[in-house]
Amino acid sequence: MNGWSHKFTRDRLTGKPYQRHERPNNDSVASNVTENYKRNAHLDVERSSGSGETTTFVNQSFHYHTSVSPYDTLVLSDPCFPDGTCEFTQTKMEEQYCNCDGKCHQYKDCCHDIKLNEDLNSVYTPYYQCYKSSKNIYKGLFAVAECPATEENTTVSHLCRSNDMLNTGPCVVHDEVIFKNRYCALCHNITSYKTFDLQFIGADTRNIPENISRTDKLSYFFQNSIGYQLIPPNGTVVRPCMLGLATNNDALCQMFINPVYMYINRILHFYRNRFCVPIYNRDLSNCVSYIYDNINRDIIHPMTVLFSFKGKETKDEDCTRWSQEMQVNNECTDLETYTNFRLTVETFYLVSSMTMTKEQFLSIIGTYIWSFTQVVENLDIHSTRILFPKKEKSKASEIRLEVMITKPSFIDEIRTVQYNVNNFMWKMVFAYENNTSVITKEQDLPTSLQNESLIIINNDIVKNTIINLNRNIIERSGHLDCNRMTVIAEQNTSLNLHVKDIVCHEYHIKKDLGDIKGLSYSIKAILTYACFSISVVALVFSVTMNRKYELSSTVAGSNMENLSISLIASNILFMIGSYASQITYVCYTIGVFLHYLWLSVFSFMMITVLYIAKNLTSMKSGNKTIKQAGTETRRVLTVIGLMIPLLFVAPAVILDQFNIANLSVGYGNSVCFPNIYPANLIFFTGPVVVCTVINCVVLFRVIFQVCLFRMEMRHLLKSSSSSKLFLRLAILSGIFWVTGLLSGIFESEWLQYIFILLCGLQGCFICIANLTTRYMYSNVKTTFGKKSSSPQTVD
């Protein structure tokens, strides 16, 4: 440039040759000066006739203005001038480093033949920066990356400036304005936005720890991926830009973008334009020009992991298998999506009943791979290692395959496919030269290879076999989900195989498990409705009997009645809720009331146990009789029992209305019950566990006291309510719910059935305990005794 001779060497920037400057010679200087003079003179004639300030150009689809200014001579003298025009960048480049649209003034990325118009700036113009949006270190996107100076919250300003995506999250967009992260949006008074997805490229998934949090998983991929890329929401248009452009305060440097680059001490430097380069180095700079299209062009790596930061819009999705509809409907956004996932496939062996050549084995291996692609969709399979004995023929061969799931998949879906790949059972009946051999897939080293020296053989025959079999007329759809198959084939004279039939004997465990799961759910549903119905009837009868014999006038009877009514209402609502899950508002209302009623059950349980323990403690202290409490005590205990659940239900409803992350319990789900972790642990499971623990501790303490003080126990046994108290103590302690907690922890099917049975019949057990007390028994006996003796009285 400018008279410097050029030699092309390998450019670390693109892997292509670039011009290296050497000292100029006089001939080159003269010729280049002449060339520049002619080119600049020609441009001067085009730009202005000297009679007007502004000239309008119409070239193809471009209509833009340039203005004559004191800087024109300097701009026109720039050797890179032609590379910074709208005509060149918009028609001859795949990607543009400068723009000529109406928004270039907002982003300050106009080409140099666009008139600068400050009136077209946006309110966000001072805050736009070129933000690194992928592993490409040279190209990014324009985003609002700073807070206004008036922002008082220093924490928000700091997080807005932070480049730690793990803690600040990816870009967000509102009304076509892209913000660096949600904190940058917040300080500009934007609270409603769409969030970019984050995709990791070339991720290493071999050592992903299981059962780690989403944050830890993100951190893992940041450290174990080749790079990342931000994926904008559908319909969002990003404004690309060039990263790392050095600048200065020179007016021409700030006016336009026509980047140049140079190496200083073997370090690559980019500048916004030639006038941003220090004067003493300007003649050493190179035009970026066409190189921009190839600067660090993204290489497509096979493995990607997509993390979505969108909020769920649906609550009843099935997230076991990824589908395009899920992405469109914004479902299952809390699960990462893996594309081109490479499976860990175990080494296996193909064993023949007859000795075969390695060429025949290679054809059979190709048939195995082809037949497997007929079983599972979206698999890319090829052999990476085939080992065969050094001799010409053998009865077995060792195979290692590389399997890739090409479609986006959830991790559980991937694990299922991996299990099916490793446990796929395969057999082939192979007819050739009037002989028939049976080849089977085995996981263990066959005896015929144990003492053999194996070598790697060429697998070109495998590839050709697969190509030929792809022309086969076997219907693929008829064999999907097959887990055990037999392939019937024969060999042509050309060593090419012809598959005559594929027979499926067994389907994937996933399908079988699905049937078992459906059957399991139907059995659980029948068991639940039967047990709950029995409990409702039993509790209604128990309440009726308590009222008949005026047991509700005592504190124990009042607590028993409150507990029974809560259980009746909760059981009925639970059964109704199973059919109301499709009606959102009804399901939501049922979920709230169920939350309250179940907590009230445990509330009255705890009050009852504590009251019984208080009476037993009082008797142990020497009181021979228990002082009967009055109406006021019963009312106070009832109010307390009703108020305790509100301490948990009211905050849960409020937080759920505001949809606060990690604190929304999810009323209105498919089961019409709050079951979103971790909020359900805070507002339901936690209180239940605490209540159960208190009841159990009190129970064991009372039993210990009773065994230790037998004399006091005699007085207790003489009391009219002794048997009833102990039965209530055992049942109302909530001991059955321990089974439910254990079934959730150990995920045992049998524990779940036991829990459904015990929990569903809890009302029935309470009724039995209530009706078999000595006091109730004597009253019933007296009542029926009077009825039976009444005829004798008449006589």
Side-chain angles (χ1 to χ4, degrees), residues 21-285:
H21 303 284
E22 294 185 352
R23 297 186 63 85
N25 56 61
N26 294 332
D27 294 337
S28 63
V29 171
S31 62
N32 279 303
V33 167
T34 303
E35 181 183 351
N36 286 337
Y37 174 80
K38 291 179 179 180
R39 180 175 61 180
N40 292 340
H42 174 69
L43 291 171
D44 281 335
V45 171
E46 282 189 328
R47 287 178 59 86
S48 176
S49 62
S51 59
E53 287 293 321
T54 304
T55 302
T56 302
F57 287 91
V58 179
N59 188 356
Q60 297 179 5
S61 61
F62 298 102
H63 186 92
Y64 47 89
H65 298 272
T66 60
S67 60
V68 178
S69 70
Y71 303 107
D72 273 358
T73 303
L74 289 174
V75 173
L76 290 172
S77 68
D78 180 4
C80 300
F81 176 87
D83 302 327
T85 62
C86 292
E87 180 181 358
F88 177 82
T89 58
Q90 310 299 305
T91 63
K92 298 181 180 180
M93 295 183 64
E94 296 179 20
E95 301 180 64
Q96 290 76 42
Y97 40 67
C98 66
N99 290 280
C100 302
D101 58 2
K103 293 185 177 181
C104 74
H105 303 283
Q106 299 180 21
Y107 297 98
K108 302 298 182 184
D109 64 346
C110 295
C111 296
H112 60 58
D113 46 355
I114 292 295
K115 182 179 179 180
L116 191 63
N117 187 352
E118 296 291 343
D119 294 335
L120 297 178
N121 289 347
S122 164
V123 293
Y124 297 109
T125 295
Y127 312 109
Y128 277 121
Q129 292 180 11
C130 192
Y131 178 61
K132 187 175 184 293
S133 59
S134 69
K135 71 183 185 67
N136 193 323
I137 62 174
Y138 300 111
K139 298 177 184 179
L141 58 84
F142 275 110
V144 176
E146 287 187 358
C147 291
T150 56
E151 176 60 43
E152 297 179 354
N153 192 325
T154 56
T155 301
V156 172
S157 297
H158 173 74
L159 291 172
C160 173
R161 293 191 301 270
S162 173
N163 292 321
D164 185 0
M165 195 180 301
L166 183 64
N167 293 318
T168 61
C171 295
V172 299
V173 60
H174 173 81
D175 286 346
E176 299 183 356
V177 179
I178 297 174
F179 297 87
K180 179 179 174 181
N181 53 53
R182 62 182 183 272
Y183 298 102
C184 294
L186 180 62
C187 66
H188 286 276
N189 298 320
I190 302 299
T191 56
S192 175
Y193 46 74
K194 295 180 180 179
T195 308
F196 280 52
D197 290 336
L198 177 60
Q199 185 180 57
F200 292 99
I201 302 170
D204 181 6
T205 58
R206 292 171 297 179
N207 299 312
I208 302 178
E210 293 189 11
N211 301 322
I212 62 174
S213 67
R214 184 176 173 84
T215 302
D216 291 339
K217 195 171 291 185
L218 275 168
S219 178
Y220 174 85
F221 283 117
F222 269 118
Q223 298 174 9
N224 296 276
S225 300
I226 295 176
Y228 67 88
Q229 182 175 0
L230 293 179
I231 309 297
N234 292 333
T236 299
V237 179
V238 300
R239 184 84 169 189
C241 55
M242 191 169 179
L243 289 163
L245 292 178
T247 184
N248 58 38
N249 294 326
D250 187 278
L252 282 176
C253 176
Q254 298 294 327
M255 190 173 294
F256 60 88
I257 291 182
N258 187 11
V260 297
Y261 73 95
M262 62 182 298
Y263 286 95
I264 302 177
N265 297 327
R266 297 186 178 181
I267 299 176
L268 182 63
H269 294 266
F270 284 97
Y271 297 87
R272 180 178 172 87
N273 57 50
R274 188 170 184 267
F275 303 100
C276 301
V277 182
I279 296 176
Y280 53 84
N281 278 335
R282 284 182 184 175
D283 291 336
L284 299 177
S285 62

Side-chain angles (χ1 to χ4, degrees), residues 315 588 595 647-667 669 674-684:
K315 297 184 178 180
Y588 191 96
H595 188 189
L647 299 177
F648 301 96
V649 176
V653 173
I654 294 172
L655 293 172
D656 191 69
Q657 287 295 317
F658 288 98
N659 198 24
I660 298 177
N662 297 326
L663 291 177
S664 177
V665 295
Y667 293 114
N669 277 298
N675 60 355
I676 294 181
Y677 177 86
N680 63 336
L681 182 65
I682 299 172
F683 297 108
F684 180 74

